[in-house]
Amino acid sequence: DVKVTQSSRYLVKRTGEKVFLECVQDMDHENMFWYRQDPGLGLRLIYFSYDVKMKEKGDIPEGYSVSREKKERFSLILESASTNQTSMYLCASSLYRVDIQYFGAGTRLSVL
Amino acid sequence: AQKVTQAQTEISVVEKEDVTLDCVYETRDTTYYLFWYKQPPSGELVFLIRRNSFDEQNEISGRYSWNFQKSTSSFNFTITASQVVDSAVYFCALSLWPYDEKLTFGTGTRLTIIP
């Protein structure tokens, strides 16, 4: 079974803090994704990576950056957290670029 | 641009009833994939099915069935004899094939099964 693990289920941060959300997959998948989930908006793609050190912007990249130094790990970075970044963040991975995506359990981030 | 519409925000049914979740999609492309995911209270999205645009055959998996109709741009999901464990948020999604890795999600339907 594919396992996608997000390091934290819940996080509470202060406005202006630098926040790291970590995601690890154990299936040697090439592609990894970060989504944001908000009520009434569904899931929206923030960034994705199709290889180590490669990244592409999704639909809502503003205020976020990503890092992929190793194949199995994909980090989402909020350089200076703001209250409008309070949300559920979901990481996913897939073997091929157009393929089934497997999701982690999510990190619920609150920015106060 | 692609769009997926799940008009039913919330549905409640009594256990053992059948329920259908609607999904309507928009795309100008002729090759694409459609997906259904389940998100239980634990939060993790669980993959249920993928269907490509060339295959309009309906699919049945146990109590779950899917009806894909290109003529109406719909990919509906039916649960037969619903159970409490079916309570979750269900998402329909679309990706273009073969060149677009992005999943475009609908806004989800929250299904509550009343015991």
Side-chain angles (χ1 to χ4, degrees), chain A residues 9 33 35 37 40-43 45 48 59 90 97-101 103-105, chain B residues 33 37 39 42-45 47 50 91 96-98 100-103 105-107:
Chain A
R9 290 301 306 273
F33 306 81
Y35 291 88
Q37 181 180 2
L41 296 177
L43 278 76
L45 182 65
F48 69 95
D59 296 320
L90 289 157
R97 286 189 73 157
V98 184
D99 199 2
I100 299 166
Q101 292 183 21
F103 285 80
Chain B
Y33 281 121
Y37 282 87
Q39 186 179 40
S42 59
E44 177 179 342
L45 265 76
F47 166 75
R50 177 179 67 177
F91 289 96
L96 302 181
W97 181 85
D100 188 358
E101 56 281 294
K102 279 176 46 179
L103 280 175
F105 283 87
T107 52

Side-chain angles (χ1 to χ4, degrees), chain B residues 41-94:
Chain B
S42 59
E44 177 179 342
L45 265 76
V46 177
F47 166 75
L48 295 178
I49 189 172
R50 177 179 67 177
R51 176 64 80 210
N52 74 53
S53 53
F54 296 113
D55 184 1
E56 279 194 80
Q57 275 194 334
N58 292 332
E59 175 136 352
I60 298 174
S61 176
R63 296 183 297 107
Y64 295 172
S65 62
W66 290 269
N67 180 248
F68 176 27
Q69 291 195 338
K70 287 176 77 170
S71 61
T72 56
S73 297
S74 64
F75 186 43
N76 296 336
F77 172 30
T78 297
I79 301 175
T80 303
S82 59
Q83 299 177 1
V84 172
V85 292
D86 296 326
S87 295
V89 181
Y90 291 86
F91 289 96
C92 182
L94 175 147

